Amino acid sequence: MTPRYNYDICLAGIGMGDCRNTTVAVMELLERARVVFSLSARIIWLTRLRPDVIDLRDEYYTGEEDLQVYRRLAHRVLEEGSKGGGVLFVDDGHPLFYDDISETIVRRGRRRGLAVRVEPAVSSLDVMMSHLGVRIAEDGFQAVEASALVVDKQRLNPRFDTLVMQVGFFGTIHIVEADTQARGRLQPLQDYLLRFYPPEHRVRILRTAVLRVEENTVFSCRLDRLSQHHRRISVDATLHIPRIKQ
């Protein structure tokens, strides 16, 4: 009997920090899906669960402009979903937390009349709080995307803790697997942040280990020296700017 699905496409996340953070719901989806597409770094673990998983990483790290890559991969998933239900697209972390491919699939899929489901997952924010020592004050925090912060001239409130997401991608439009940051590329971001914080204010670079053989990355520096550490800031790092206390 052909399985029946209550979705055409489902977006799901592999838990950040460790495969064991993956929810029971996602494990069940992996077992039952008709087709599984993956952009996860945990491909070895995934193929043990589903030997037929389709690894899209070679189609992602092509050196093309990011929007072109996002559109092509979203189109591939959408085309498969148009053929029948049970299409699962998995990546690391929460599917809709700074994930342009997933956002495109949701928007264009529903426009096509497809049933697009999103299954929550342990996100990078969850892991930063539990594994990397990020604390959210009672009066809240602010999270921004690095490039949008500078391009859109967004204002920051230095009285709140701030997470600058995707800091490692700042100033890039091409997707590459290796860390190819050019010296000085983070300077515009540093200069913009100095509008809101004093030069000596200490910030932290955070990265949660994706694989068990890796270690978490946490190091601090003065804000006015952030650009000097460009080689230590991987593409999936986050910048934590502690609030200025009154």
Side-chain angles (χ1 to χ4, degrees):
M1 179 181 295
T2 302
R4 299 185 65 178
Y5 301 96
N6 61 1
Y7 63 91
D8 294 311
I9 299 172
C10 182
L11 310 174
I14 307 301
M16 291 297 294
D18 194 303
C19 300
R20 292 173 293 182
N21 288 337
T22 303
T23 65
V24 173
V26 173
M27 295 292 288
E28 292 175 348
L29 286 165
L30 285 166
E31 180 182 350
R32 300 172 183 174
R34 175 175 64 86
V35 177
V36 179
F37 291 105
S38 171
L39 272 176
S40 173
R42 299 162 175 85
I43 190 62
I44 295 176
W45 177 75
L46 277 172
T47 52
R48 290 173 183 163
L49 301 174
R50 283 290 300 253
D52 59 344
V53 65
I54 301 171
D55 185 2
L56 296 177
R57 289 178 301 166
D58 286 343
E59 298 180 40
Y60 183 81
Y61 296 109
T62 62
E64 300 170 275
E65 290 190 10
D66 48 14
L67 290 180
Q68 185 174 350
V69 174
Y70 301 157
R71 289 168 183 157
R72 185 180 66 252
L73 294 183
H75 179 75
R76 180 167 181 186
V77 175
L78 288 164
E79 286 296 293
E80 188 62 43
S82 297
K83 298 176 184 178
V87 177
L88 183 64
F89 176 71
V90 295
D91 201 349
D92 296 317
H94 194 287
L96 297 183
F97 193 56
Y98 290 106
D99 192 321
D100 290 319
I101 297 175
S102 292
E103 290 280 5
T104 301
I105 292 171
V106 171
R107 184 177 64 254
R108 290 173 54 189
R110 291 173 178 172
R111 193 180 302 158
R112 289 189 183 198
L114 298 175
V116 181
R117 169 182 166 188
V118 178
E119 187 61 45
V122 173
S123 72
S124 58
L125 180 58
D126 297 311
V127 176
M128 280 188 277
M129 294 175 64
S130 61
H131 294 177
L132 301 180
V134 172
R135 294 293 176 262
I136 303 301
E138 292 181 357
D139 51 358
F141 76 104
Q142 54 196 348
V144 295
E145 198 277 334
S147 297
L149 170 68
V150 177
V151 171
D152 298 335
K153 296 182 171 60
Q154 299 170 357
R155 294 193 60 80
L156 295 175
N157 185 340
R159 301 301 181 185
F160 290 109
D161 275 79
T162 302
L163 294 176
V164 183
M165 314 299 295
Q166 298 187 323
V167 64
F169 282 111
F170 179 80
T172 66
I173 61 172
H174 296 88
I175 297 180
V176 293
E177 188 166 18
D179 185 3
T180 57
Q181 296 191 25
R183 182 178 179 84
R185 184 169 60 78
L186 294 175
Q187 191 67 45
L189 175 62
Q190 174 180 302
D191 293 343
Y192 189 78
L193 292 173
L194 286 171
R195 298 184 184 185
F196 307 97
Y197 301 93
E200 68 276 8
H201 192 64
R202 296 199 70 83
V203 300
R204 296 197 302 162
I205 293 295
L206 310 173
R207 178 186 179 273
T208 304
V210 174
L211 304 174
R212 292 188 186 184
V213 295
E214 298 178 320
E215 294 183 356
N216 294 333
T217 298
V218 179
F219 71 88
S220 66
C221 67
R222 288 171 49 119
L223 178 56
D224 61 354
R225 297 174 183 171
L226 176 66
S227 182
Q228 299 176 19
H229 296 277
H230 65 284
R231 294 190 182 278
R232 300 178 66 187
I233 301 175
S234 62
V235 293
D236 54 354
T238 297
L239 174 64
H240 175 218
I241 309 177
R243 63 177 177 165
I244 296 178
K245 298 181 180 179
Q246 296 180 344

